[in-house]
Amino acid sequence: MITPEFEYTAPRSLDKAIRDLSGGGEDAKLLAGGHSLIPLMKLRLAAPTLLVDLRNVPGLHGIQRENGHWRIGAMTHHTELERTTELGLAAQAAGTIADRQVRNRGTIGGSLAHGDPASDLPAVMLAYGAEVTVQGQSGQRRVAAADLFQNYMETDLAPDEVLTEVRLPALDGYGFGYEKFSRRSEDWAMVAVSALVRAEGGQCADVRVGLTNMGSVPLRASAVEEALRGRPLDAASIAAAAEQAAEGTDPPADLNASEDYKRHLARVLTKRALETAAGMGGA
Ligand SMILES: Cc1cc2nc3c(=O)[nH]c(=O)nc-3n(C[C@H](O)[C@H](O)[C@H](O)COP(=O)(O)OP(=O)(O)OC[C@H]3O[C@@H](n4cnc5c(N)ncnc54)[C@H](O)[C@@H]3O)c2cc1C
């Protein structure tokens, strides 16, 4: 399928990109890797009349560690995340996205701004407690990942705002596990679970669990976290906590999985991800 006709700009500064985006009104869209937007345009599910390509905007690429945080430019490709193994969970999850071609083009900023609850990175960012920096005509602001995802493919970003950077706490000393279940390798997740665990003297000092494709937005498995935090970090406590994984979720049924099957997957994958994060080697 061929996309509808559109105008195209590739500005060389962030200010110009924001001006172009605002000038285009509701029919203007930013273009990053194009691996979500262009397919939607080809299917005629989106028909922007202006695409503002971020490829030439300086300062939006790269990964740097600074004061206990990772700063990741919005135009950083999934492949770069995957290769930065010091990132831990985020690198592992990025390496499960689709195939090499998609990972070489798709960006972290595009993935978060798109707000698809079936994407891998949004729930990972929730688990980290990440925040994003956005810039628009009225200035710059920071948005916590917990406030970014508002509804199915709806985010807190205003139409004239560009997501410029993602800030991840480094979470040194945390173990991590990522479990993604798909019908075929390289498919989107039927369900995926991200887990981060910090152990202290055999107890669970902190735990963060993110759920992918278990509702209209990515979710934190708060009931699991409450059940495990402060408990001995052993197989029995993990198994008991993982039983809470589907609490408060509303997973969409699809061709591959019923709601009940997704709830079952959430419990099984949470147990495996927590076991790996706790150094038990997974199931
Ligand atoms: C075959 C295929 C399989 C895939 N499988 C997976 C998968 O398993 N897991 C997964 O997570 N993803 C998957 N994806 C999606 C892929 O990760 C996309 O790259 C990603 O979702 C969007 O990133 P992008 O850079 O391509 O964004 P684009 O498609 O360019 O943009 C997506 C949306 O975000 C907006 N946007 C982009 N950048 C910004 C910004 N900096 N600020 C504000 N708004 C912005 C755009 O205007 C658009 O609305 C798949 C894609 C394809 C084509």
Side-chain angles (χ1 to χ4, degrees):
M1 291 264 286
I2 297 171
T3 65
E5 279 192 19
F6 56 87
E7 298 291 318
Y8 172 87
T9 63
R12 294 190 172 275
S13 73
L14 184 57
D15 284 351
K16 177 75 165 64
I18 292 168
R19 280 204 303 280
D20 286 354
L21 189 59
S22 309
E26 282 187 2
D27 292 330
K29 277 274 184 195
L30 292 171
L31 180 68
H35 270 51
S36 291
L37 182 55
I38 302 292
L40 288 180
M41 291 170 67
K42 287 184 168 180
L43 292 168
R44 309 279 162 143
L45 294 172
T49 52
L50 171 66
L51 289 188
V52 180
D53 194 336
L54 292 173
R55 69 172 61 209
N56 295 328
V57 174
L60 299 184
H61 293 85
I63 304 173
Q64 286 163 357
R65 182 155 173 160
E66 198 177 277
N67 299 330
H69 279 81
W70 291 98
R71 295 179 52 187
I72 306 173
M75 286 293 281
T76 303
H77 296 121
H78 303 323
T79 303
E80 291 167 76
L81 291 180
E82 179 186 1
R83 286 187 185 145
T84 310
T85 50
E86 308 92 291
L87 286 170
L89 174 62
Q92 187 186 347
T96 71
I97 295 174
D99 52 32
R100 177 72 52 212
Q101 189 183 0
V102 172
R103 296 200 291 277
N104 281 343
R105 297 289 302 171
T107 65
I108 186 169
S111 180
L112 301 185
H114 194 54
D116 184 343
S119 292
D120 292 273
L121 296 178
V124 169
M125 296 300 127
L126 272 188
Y128 272 94
E131 61 177 24
V132 298
T133 305
V134 300
Q135 194 158 331
Q137 290 228 301
S138 52
Q140 192 182 80
R141 66 193 178 103
R142 283 194 180 158
V143 184
D147 299 324
L148 183 62
F149 308 107
Q150 303 269 313
N151 208 333
Y152 183 70
M153 288 198 184
E154 267 181 46
T155 69
D156 182 57
L157 293 182
D160 75 327
E161 281 181 325
V162 180
L163 192 162
T164 56
E165 186 178 277
V166 181
R167 278 170 62 90
L168 286 190
L171 299 187
D172 296 327
Y174 281 68
F176 64 90
Y178 192 66
E179 292 288 333
K180 176 175 180 174
F181 193 86
S182 337
R183 199 165 62 84
R184 301 168 307 185
S185 71
E186 304 185 347
D187 268 358
W188 293 83
M190 227 180 258
V191 174
V193 177
S194 350
L196 287 155
V197 171
R198 184 165 63 82
E200 240 174 55
Q203 305 276 113
C204 175
D206 190 26
V207 53
R208 293 125 178 263
V209 178
L211 300 175
T212 293
N213 217 7
M214 286 297 290
S216 57
V217 290
L219 298 169
R220 277 282 283 264
S222 315
V224 174
E225 296 174 359
E226 277 164 32
L228 192 57
R229 200 172 286 121
R231 297 282 174 143
L233 206 47
D234 57 22
S237 306
I238 287 177
E243 280 302 304
Q244 313 289 319
E247 195 148 303
T249 65
D250 186 16
D254 56 38
L255 279 178
N256 293 314
S258 66
E259 294 167 22
D260 277 349
Y261 184 54
K262 286 191 176 178
R263 290 193 180 98
H264 168 72
L265 281 177
R267 290 189 280 267
V268 171
L269 299 178
T270 297
K271 180 167 170 287
R272 291 181 187 168
L274 286 171
E275 284 173 346
T276 307
M280 294 177 192

